[in-house]
Structure formats: C-alpha cells, structure tokens
Amino acid sequence: MKDRSEVIFGNRINSKAYKKALRSKKKYYKKFGDDSNADYAAVIQKNAYIGDALGVNNVLIGDLKQNAHFNEADKDFLEFDRQKGIIVGNIRMGFGHYRISMAMASAAKAMGYIPYWMDLNSYGLTTCTKVIGAQNDLYSLGSRMSKNPVFNKLVWEPMNYEGFRALSYNSSDQKNAEIMAAVYKNIPKDIPVIGTHVWPAQAAIHAGMKYVVNAIPDNWPMALHLSEGSVHTIQCHNSYMGYRILNGMDKKNVCKAMPASDLVYTGHYIDHELVSNIEADCKARIDRKKNKRPMRFLLTIGGAGAQKEIFAAIIKFLMPYIKENKAVLYINVGDYKNVWDSLVEQIPQMKKYSTQHFEDWDETYEFAGKALCNDCEINGIHGFWHSNIFEAVYCTNLLMRSCDVLVTKPSELAFYPVPKLFIKRVGKHEMWGAIHSAEAGDGTLECRDIPHTLQMMDLFLNDDILLYDMCKNIMDNKRIGLYDGAYKVVELAMGLKSKN
C-alpha cells in the first residue's frame, strides 16, 4: 500500500513534514503501546438509547467491559448483515460528529438499511481510542482557553483556520490513523463505511475496507478532512471548489487537484425525521407567530463553557418575555449538568419558571412529542440534561422540530432546517457555516458580540418578517434537495458496493 503520508493526491510532502509525521506515530506507540498485531474481536449489540429511534446497532471491539457503549444487561449479540449493513464510523469530539452520524443512521434506516455505530473513541483497551482521547483532551482544552482573546487571536483561530488547512497536517494525521486501523481487523471488508470524522475514514482505508465514504463536516476546505482512498462528500458548492483544487493547502503553491471521482456534492447531512417534516414544522412556526403565541427559543450549550456568558445574557434578556408568556426557552446542556447549575446560580429568577427534564429519556421524548401538538401550550423555561451521550445529543434533534429559533454557534447545526440565530463561533473555520446559512436564507449572520446577539433576539420577537422569510426559504430549500445530503451519502456508500 502507498504511504499516504508522503504523497497526498499527487502532492509530495516535504521531508521535514514527513519526518514529523513518523515521529508522531512513534510517540503515540511509545506512550500507549503498539497493538497493530492485536486480533480484536468484533460483535454487534443493539444501541440501548437510539436503537429504536434510528435503528442503530453498536460495533463493540475487543474486551466488552472496556467498550464505552457496551450494555451489560443485553447479551443478545447480532451478526453483521453483509447485504443491508452500513457502518457509520465516528468519534466523540464535541457533539458535532455524533449528530452527523445520527443523520446518516436515520437516513440509512429510512432507506431500508441497517446502520452500525462504530465509535473509535469508545474502545478503551485499544491504542486507537487512547490516541483519540489524548487529541480530544487537547482540543477541549483549546476550546476552553479560547475564551481568552489573546490566546484565541494568536493560537486558536489561526490553528483552526490555517494550521488544519495544510497538507502537512494531513500527513501527520494519516500516520496516526495507521495506529487506529487495528479496530477494523475483524470487520467484514465489504461492508460500506461512512466516516463522519476523518479518522474513522482514514483508519478504514488503512485497514483495507473496500467501500469508504468520508463525509466532510465543515465548509471551510482544510487538508485535515482529507482521507485519500475514500470518496469525499461535502455539503455546499463553495467547499466543493476549495477541496477540488486543494485551495491554499500548500501555502501559495498550486496543488495537483483531487480527481473528480473522489469528490461529490450532496447537500446538507440531515436526519430523515427532520427532513420529512419540514413543511409541517415551518407552518406551525408561522401559525404561532401569526397567532401571537409564545416564541420558542432552543439554546444548545456545550460543556467547554466558551460561550456561557453569551447564553447568560440571552436568558436575562428573555426573562421579561418569559414572565409575560411571550417567549418560551428550551435549554439543552447536553451531558454537562454543571452548566445548568452555573446558569441557575447566576440567574436565580430562572428557578421560578423552570421545569427540569433531567435523566428521564422517556419523559423528554414525551415532552418533545407534546410540543408538536398545535393545541398544547408550552410555557416557561425547560431545562434538559442527560448523562448519556446519545440522549444528550439527540435531545436537541427532538426539540428542534417544535422550536421557532435555534440559538447556536455556527457549527454542524448551521446546516439544519430550522430558523437559526448564530452566536459567536469557537474556531474561525466555523465562520463559513453562518455565511452559508445566511446565503441559504435559513439563518442569521454570525453575531460576534452580545449587543448584536440581543439585537437579533429582539428582531425575532418583535418583527414578523425575519421568521416568515426563514421558514419560506427552508421549505423552498427542501424542494431543491438542499437537505437531502444524508440520503445521498448513504446511497453513494451502498452504490460503491453494488458497482462491484
């Protein structure tokens, strides 16, 4: 097999960068051990949390008790379905890659396939998981430190924008992905793989998986996301052009282009449940606005705390509207209860109006269904916290349908078919998510400070045009297939197999 760290799409990496990649791999083996010859068993078990909703089965590797998603109460292991099975390879790094994986699983189920959830960050015994965990810790630390404006300007934004853009960065990643290939050893090689982070896609290629699709999450073209040997998919045309010519990935040098067969535009990666209900949900938002019912805002808050001050300002701004029953607030803190506790401590008046939906998935599911009923009134503040990662992430997807405005940083949620208010990014690459959404007409510009964020909140509450226009654009976008990306990725992955 060719050395994918030395030549990337015909572009030779300089010897200094290549030697750095070799040292990186050697360093991780020295720190975590070399398990490249390990013979890890692979078994299938129904996912206890989203198995029913999305048809998901977990791929468990090696020692079951060291698998983060192993359900000890269920020993009914399944066999790989070689005809209908499709692997969704992912990692947990924030919520974004999990959410994209859920979209792929949802589309696969709707299309009659069986999605296998393969989380490379859940196999505690393996060197693969240890390496990913170490890199995830570094990324989380950087995200938290980005609150410091000096660190953000001099380190964090340049790294997320230009550092990850370089082909030399991909060279090191490719070497590190060789470490991760061991987890695929006993996976049937003819089952298609969709990677929703580049590492599962790279590792699959190194392991000899035959049909690999690399679903690129961002729309700022970066070499970080390249997995040569797989078919790359992107969500918007702007990033198609950037990836096709590897724009700026070797500084000012003109790169050799990616082959056309290696890059496919699909549209946005969205869950079947959301896409199939776009018209009904948008009409419900318009009806609530016309009938002057409380406007529903959904806040999704991560654990890094980088934007806690912004969310606190939003909540304080909304409190008078909540008291007068002119606004409703959903707050999903994911699996970070400390964030909810901190907000309540900072804004004590929240307590009087808050209903806590904590650690009860059935109750959360029931609330999300009730909120879709046109005759049901929802009032006050509703806080959601679930310690399980699947529930923590999917909670936002459930609440999205009944909210009027999603308040979020311009991350993977920038592509979702719901009116969006974008707060300040975490990493400069996210800037392009807000730009794309504003051009598609389903989201605001990025509000980079609190005054502009509150101005936009005021517009949503007191101006009819903004919400009506976004809902119309979302329905128009659906008609042209903008939100069909997940279906197309699944179709592409299974199509690679059928061709052979």
Side-chain angles (χ1 to χ4, degrees):
M1 181 182 290
K2 63 178 276 189
D3 190 330
R4 300 188 184 279
S5 294
E6 196 169 15
V7 180
I8 301 170
F9 291 111
N11 298 280
R12 184 163 293 277
I13 302 302
N14 67 63
S15 60
K16 182 179 178 181
Y18 179 63
K19 289 175 181 177
K20 182 180 178 182
L22 293 172
R23 289 196 301 272
S24 178
K25 179 180 177 181
K26 184 177 180 180
K27 177 190 72 174
Y28 280 124
Y29 270 151
K30 184 177 180 180
K31 185 174 182 179
F32 298 121
D34 182 352
D35 65 349
S36 56
N37 292 319
D39 191 22
Y40 295 123
V43 299
I44 302 297
Q45 184 184 49
K46 182 180 177 180
N47 186 293
Y49 301 96
I50 56 173
D52 290 332
L54 302 180
V56 170
N57 298 296
N58 292 328
V59 179
L60 307 177
I61 301 294
D63 184 347
L64 294 178
K65 291 186 178 179
Q66 295 198 48
N67 279 247
H69 305 318
F70 172 55
N71 179 11
E72 197 163 359
D74 181 8
K75 298 294 177 65
D76 186 17
F77 299 123
L78 308 169
E79 297 289 332
F80 281 104
D81 188 315
R82 303 281 286 273
Q83 299 302 314
K84 295 183 177 181
I86 185 167
I87 289 172
V88 182
N90 56 66
I91 66 169
R92 175 179 180 177
M93 186 169 279
F95 285 176
H97 302 286
Y98 260 33
R99 196 180 314 282
I100 295 170
S101 290
M102 289 175 178
M104 300 301 177
S106 171
K109 180 191 177 189
M111 296 167 73
Y113 300 116
I114 301 171
Y116 296 125
W117 189 274
M118 191 168 181
D119 178 1
L120 272 61
N121 201 13
S122 68
Y123 310 135
L125 177 67
T126 69
T127 302
C128 168
T129 292
K130 293 171 184 175
V131 170
I132 292 173
Q135 297 210 38
N136 195 14
D137 289 343
L138 282 174
Y139 191 85
S140 295
L141 176 62
S143 182
R144 292 193 298 273
M145 290 178 64
S146 69
K147 288 188 293 183
N148 182 307
V150 176
F151 177 83
N152 190 54
K153 182 178 180 180
L154 298 181
V155 179
W156 191 243
E157 288 225 328
M159 175 57 71
N160 277 274
Y161 201 64
E162 293 295 344
F164 293 157
R165 192 183 184 189
L167 285 173
S168 57
Y169 191 92
N170 184 257
S171 176
S172 289
D173 255 11
Q174 284 282 7
K175 273 297 164 198
N176 293 335
E178 292 175 9
I179 298 172
M180 304 171 192
V183 300
Y184 283 97
K185 184 170 185 178
N186 288 304
I187 304 294
K189 297 297 181 282
D190 60 347
I191 292 184
V193 176
I194 298 171
T196 61
H197 184 281
V198 72
W199 294 336
Q202 290 172 344
I205 293 295
H206 287 301
M209 300 298 291
K210 294 180 179 180
Y211 314 113
V212 182
V213 174
N214 176 31
I216 295 174
D218 298 320
N219 61 331
W220 169 243
M222 298 187 288
L224 164 72
H225 293 305
L226 298 177
S227 175
E228 188 174 1
S230 62
V231 178
H232 300 66
T233 63
I234 43 81
Q235 300 186 79
C236 61
H237 292 291
N238 169 63
S239 58
Y240 178 90
M241 296 304 299
Y243 276 109
R244 185 68 198 280
I245 64 171
L246 305 181
N247 189 43
M249 295 184 190
D250 190 15
K251 298 182 179 178
K252 293 184 179 180
N253 296 324
V254 176
C255 295
K256 292 183 179 179
M258 290 177 66
S261 58
D262 286 5
L263 187 64
V264 178
Y265 165 79
T266 60
H268 301 184
Y269 313 140
I270 308 297
D271 312 55
H272 168 72
E273 292 76 18
L274 294 169
V275 177
S276 61
N277 287 291
I278 281 176
E279 289 88 355
D281 294 343
C282 282
K283 288 176 181 176
R285 293 178 184 114
I286 293 170
D287 287 344
R288 282 193 291 270
K289 188 71 171 172
K290 285 182 176 178
N291 294 321
K292 300 188 183 303
R293 296 172 69 180
M295 194 166 202
R296 303 171 180 181
F297 293 89
L298 168 57
L299 275 59
T300 62
I301 306 178
Q307 300 159 306
K308 190 170 66 175
E309 294 84 359
I310 301 173
F311 285 113
I314 291 171
I315 295 168
K316 289 176 182 177
F317 175 84
L318 281 177
M319 285 308 303
Y321 292 94
I322 292 169
K323 291 175 183 178
E324 296 174 11
N325 200 27
K326 293 180 179 179
V328 172
L329 192 55
Y330 303 159
I331 304 175
N332 181 22
V333 296
D335 55 353
Y336 296 101
K337 186 174 181 293
N338 62 299
V339 174
W340 174 266
D341 293 337
S342 176
L343 286 170
V344 172
E345 182 179 358
Q346 188 175 349
I347 313 170
Q349 59 266 42
M350 282 178 62
K351 291 182 179 179
K352 179 179 179 181
Y353 299 94
S354 292
T355 302
Q356 296 181 355
H357 307 265
F358 289 179
E359 288 290 75
D360 189 337
W361 184 242
D362 290 338
E363 196 271 341
T364 294
Y365 210 91
E366 182 181 347
F367 173 86
K370 174 186 174 183
L372 292 170
C373 174
N374 291 331
D375 298 327
C376 294
E377 290 294 334
I378 305 294
N379 308 112
I381 300 172
H382 295 267
F384 300 85
W385 164 69
H386 299 87
S387 60
N388 177 269
I389 178 63
F390 293 105
E391 295 173 347
V393 176
Y394 199 58
C395 178
T396 292
N397 294 42
L398 289 177
L399 297 172
M400 207 182 296
R401 287 193 56 201
S402 70
C403 80
D404 295 315
V405 180
L406 171 65
V407 181
T408 178
K409 67 188 182 77
S411 56
E412 86 289 345
L413 286 168
F415 297 91
Y416 276 70
V418 57
K420 294 172 290 287
L421 191 167
F422 293 118
I423 63 172
K424 184 180 178 182
R425 63 184 181 250
V426 179
K428 193 173 180 179
H429 62 294
E430 292 183 342
M431 171 177 71
W432 292 92
I435 292 171
H436 175 69
S437 178
E439 289 177 337
D442 61 7
T444 69
L445 297 172
E446 178 190 350
C447 300
R448 297 181 182 176
D449 57 34
I450 289 174
H452 283 94
T453 302
L454 299 185
Q455 178 193 43
M456 200 60 71
M457 293 289 297
D458 182 71
L459 278 176
F460 272 116
L461 283 161
N462 298 306
D463 181 288
D464 293 343
I465 300 301
L466 197 60
L467 184 78
Y468 293 163
D469 189 55
M470 285 189 186
C471 287
K472 177 184 179 298
N473 292 336
I474 289 169
M475 290 187 283
D476 288 344
N477 290 339
K478 182 190 175 181
R479 282 190 281 274
I480 63 173
L482 188 68
Y483 306 117
D484 289 346
Y487 303 117
K488 292 180 180 178
V489 171
V490 172
E491 182 180 42
L492 175 62
M494 299 304 292
L496 293 175
K497 183 175 181 178
S498 65
K499 287 179 183 177
N500 291 274

